[in-house]
Structure formats: C-alpha cells, structure tokens
Amino acid sequence: MKKLALPAALSFAATPAFAATGPFFSLGNTDFIVLIAFIVFVAVLVYFKVPGLIVGLLDKRADGIKSELEEAKALREDAQALLASYERKQKEVQAQADRIVESAKSEAAAAAEQAKVDLQASITRRLAAAEEQIASAEASAVKDVRDTAIAAAVSAAREVIAKQMTDAKAAELTEKSIEEAKARLN
C-alpha cells in the first residue's frame, strides 16, 4: 500500500509545466516573473558597469600576458644573439690558432736553414707556445659557451619560476641563482 501511495502522490505534485499557467503578461505566470527578474538583474549589472569592469580586467590581463610574451621573446633573441657571438668568437679563435700553428711551422722551416741545433730548440719552444695558445683559446671558448649556457638556463629558469611562483619567491630564487653562477664562474 505504501509503495502505491508514493507514486500517486508524486503524480499530483506541482511540475514546471503546470506552474506557468494563464496569459504570459500577468503576474500569475512564472515565466513572465522570471523574465522580469532576469531583465532587472541585467539592468543592475549594466547600472553598476560590471561588463565594463570585466572587460577592463580581461584587457589588463591580456596586456600583462602580451608584455610577458614580448619580454620572453626579447630574452630569447638576446640569448640567440649572444650564442651566435660566442660561436663566431670560437671560430675566430680556432682560425687564429690554425694561423699560429702554420706560422710556427713556417718559422721552424726557415730556422732549419740557419742551424740544426737552433732548429730543434726553436721548434720545441714554438710548438709549446702554440699549444699553450690553443689550450688558452679553447679554454676561453669553453668558458664563453658555458657562460652562454648559464645565461640561457637562468633565463629559462626565470620564466618557469615566474609562471609558477609568487613574486617574492621568484626574487629569492633569482638571487640564489645569481650567487651560484658567480660562485661557479669564480
């Protein structure tokens, strides 16, 4: 009996189709009341200039994102230019080292005509100097490339940290990274 009473009671309950009865433009029609409430709600939003505030906030956010993208693009271009510069310097140093080796060989050949004893001492001394200059040039090029890699890593870390952390934490991590880079370079 109780099982049959529940469905019967639910069938007589008010449903949305029965709530909106009568002519549309009357206070007895719930659809008309909802329409009036919606229009009043939209009017209040317009009166307090909420759409303008929302558009302003969205524009401000878009400008912030645009400036971050421009800054990241500028940093990337700077890093690429710096890398290209260091690669050019490395090639120049290699060419200079090649010229030094060629010069040392030609001078050694000229010294061979003068005296065999002086020749052996001169060749040994100049090859050692050339190897030292090559080693110095290679060390300088490796240092330049390492500096570029560190700068690029710091830049990339700055972007990742800026997106994931607060300004206070980002400033703290930047300071630590700079101190670590100085300690490694020294």
Side-chain angles (χ1 to χ4, degrees):
M1 178 82 169
K2 288 183 181 179
K3 291 182 182 179
L4 293 176
L6 183 60
L10 289 176
S11 67
F12 292 114
T15 60
F18 295 127
T21 58
F24 183 74
F25 295 106
S26 71
L27 293 179
N29 189 334
T30 55
D31 292 339
F32 181 68
I33 298 298
V34 169
L35 176 66
I36 290 173
F38 179 72
I39 291 171
V40 169
F41 176 71
V42 169
V44 167
L45 289 179
V46 170
Y47 177 78
F48 286 113
K49 300 177 183 175
V50 173
L53 293 174
I54 291 172
V55 169
L57 290 173
L58 290 175
D59 288 344
K60 184 178 178 183
R61 177 69 177 145
D63 291 342
I65 291 171
K66 183 179 179 182
S67 67
E68 288 177 9
L69 288 174
E70 289 172 357
E71 181 181 345
K73 183 179 178 182
L75 288 173
R76 181 174 184 231
E77 289 173 357
D78 290 344
Q80 287 177 340
L82 189 60
L83 178 62
S85 170
Y86 285 131
E87 287 174 349
R88 260 193 327 275
K89 287 180 182 178
Q90 183 181 11
K91 289 178 183 177
E92 290 173 2
V93 167
Q94 184 63 39
Q96 182 182 5
D98 292 342
R99 286 192 307 269
I100 289 170
V101 169
E102 290 299 320
S103 173
K105 288 180 181 179
S106 68
E107 289 176 8
E113 295 174 6
Q114 292 179 1
K116 288 199 173 218
V117 175
D118 290 341
L119 173 70
Q120 191 62 32
S122 176
I123 290 174
T124 304
R125 184 173 56 249
R126 289 178 187 212
L127 284 178
E131 288 175 359
E132 184 178 324
Q133 287 179 351
I134 290 171
S136 173
E138 286 177 353
S140 174
V142 167
K143 182 181 181 286
D144 290 344
V145 169
R146 186 178 295 148
D147 291 345
T148 302
I150 289 171
V154 167
S155 175
R158 183 181 304 131
E159 288 181 32
V160 169
I161 290 171
K163 289 180 181 176
Q164 294 179 354
M165 293 189 176
T166 64
D167 291 339
K169 286 184 180 181
E172 179 182 329
L173 286 175
T174 302
E175 287 296 324
K176 286 181 182 179
S177 296
I178 291 172
E179 291 176 13
E180 287 178 7
K182 286 181 182 177
R184 287 182 184 172
L185 293 176
N186 291 330

